[in-house]
Amino acid sequence: MHSTGTTIERRVALARRAGGPEVIEVAVETLPEPGPGEALVRVSAAGLNHADSLIRSGGYVVTMPFPLAVGVEAAGTVVAAGDGAAIAPGTRVCGTGWLGSCADHVVVPVERLVPIPDDLGFAEAASIAHAGAAAGALSRVWPLEGRRAAVWGAAGAVGRLLVTRLSGNGTEVIGIAGGERVAVPARLGAAHVVDRTAGDVAEHVREATGGRGVDAVFDPVAAATFHTSLAMLAPRGCLINYGQLGGGVTNAALGDLFTSGGTFVTKFNAGAYVDGFADVAGLIREALELAVRRPEVVTPVAARFPLSEAAAAYRALESGAAGKVLVVVEDG
């Protein structure tokens, strides 16, 4: 990056059109200097999320215009601040909602910057910011204190934090994970763990609840798990879908809710469960503080790619990497 007086040139991963990772290229573009209430951040690590891929596909409920600077989550260092931006250059920060974060520099409203604790590095912060906000908002969807919930992907980035938050708030959690990662939910507070690769998941969940089922299911998969999730719900329980790793649900009918016991289904919209970016920042701070006390809530980094290989990084994410995929601009 170099300054040209009133503007800055940066390298950024850019999707020229809707599509898969093949539409991503690294371009040089002009970035305005930070305005009032904004800060210029030098990115050290950008965290990739499946929501990035869904939006870039052009077929998701959230749409953005193209060309699209990809990424929303990152960690780095404040370089400069605009008028009225109460943050000092040199501050290490992270966050989500940093549009176009898969870049070497990004201009961000200061309300979206969360200072990184001294005990955490850039990689950890870029692995937990988005998940921390998501897990915090998800925990508000359905009243669960003293009740039961099942969490798919309980060893993933959001799942780890969700299991920890829910179990800490008095919810009996059943964590669903697979393979070597089945031990993770139990370490984080899950009362029961179900191996998704070992038989009928809904049957195992019902066995763990004495046949009644759970009051809520948190499901980021959608199509591939939709009917299984309904089958594990107690009467009047709620299926909370917050992603579509297995594709969008197309074969559901209202009759399914009748036969599953008058259950509810909701498509999670984070904006409906947070009160502005100050609230989001608070949820991220809580997740960072939790990560300092309990490092196991941070999902391991599965792969690191340089910015020049951003397309390959998204291919790794979309191929099912077992952990966080980062684009590392500089080691931190």
Side-chain angles (χ1 to χ4, degrees), residues 160 183-190 294 296:
R160 289 175 185 240
V184 173
R187 294 203 303 268
L188 296 173
R294 301 184 63 184
E296 65 271 22

Side-chain angles (χ1 to χ4, degrees), residues 293-322:
R293 299 194 306 272
R294 301 184 63 184
E296 65 271 22
V297 302
V298 184
T299 190
V301 175
R304 291 175 168 86
F305 292 83
L307 180 57
S308 60
E309 298 179 18
Y314 275 103
R315 286 191 193 95
L317 174 74
E318 294 167 29
S319 296

Side-chain angles (χ1 to χ4, degrees), residues 18-275:
E22 73 279 356
V23 306
I24 297 173
E25 62 182 62
V26 176
V28 176
E29 69 173 17
T30 299
L31 188 69
E33 290 188 344
E38 295 180 331
L40 173 65
V41 178
R42 182 176 65 248
V43 175
S44 290
L48 307 193
N49 296 281
H50 288 285
D52 304 349
S53 300
L54 290 169
I55 293 169
R56 190 195 64 241
S57 74
Y60 191 46
V61 292
V62 177
T63 60
M64 299 284 283
F66 291 88
L68 173 67
V70 302
V72 297
E73 175 187 35
T77 305
V78 174
V79 174
D83 293 341
I87 194 160
T91 304
R92 298 187 321 131
V93 292
C94 67
T96 189
W98 296 15
L99 302 181
S101 66
C102 197
D104 58 10
H105 287 77
V106 64
V107 171
V108 186
V110 72
E111 65 181 357
R112 303 186 188 189
L113 304 179
V114 182
I116 301 171
D118 291 341
D119 294 330
L120 294 181
F122 290 122
E124 291 89 351
S127 298
I128 206 168
H130 187 80
L138 280 164
S139 69
R140 299 171 174 177
V141 174
W142 202 248
L144 285 170
E145 184 176 350
R147 305 173 80 187
R148 295 187 177 108
V151 177
W152 286 94
V158 176
R160 289 175 185 240
L161 288 160
L162 192 53
V163 167
T164 306
R165 287 188 72 104
L166 292 175
S167 60
N169 291 336
T171 303
E172 183 180 319
V173 177
I174 300 174
I176 304 169
E180 297 178 353
R181 305 212 292 174
V182 293
V184 173
R187 294 203 303 268
L188 296 173
H192 310 278
V193 179
V194 171
D195 185 343
R196 61 177 172 77
T197 67
D200 187 325
V201 173
E203 181 180 334
H204 289 315
V205 168
R206 288 198 166 273
E207 287 176 358
T209 60
R212 184 178 185 277
V214 294
D215 299 291
V217 177
F218 294 88
D219 185 348
V221 183
T225 52
F226 181 79
H227 288 93
T228 301
S229 291
L230 285 182
M232 62 178 75
L233 282 171
R236 302 184 306 280
C238 185
L239 167 53
I240 302 160
N241 169 255
Y242 67 98
Q244 51 189 61
L245 298 176
V249 176
T250 58
N251 59 342
L254 286 175
D256 295 329
L257 308 185
F258 178 89
T259 56
S260 61
T263 53
F264 300 83
V265 175
T266 185
K267 178 68 174 175
F268 174 65
N269 181 334
Y273 295 96
V274 295
D275 187 15

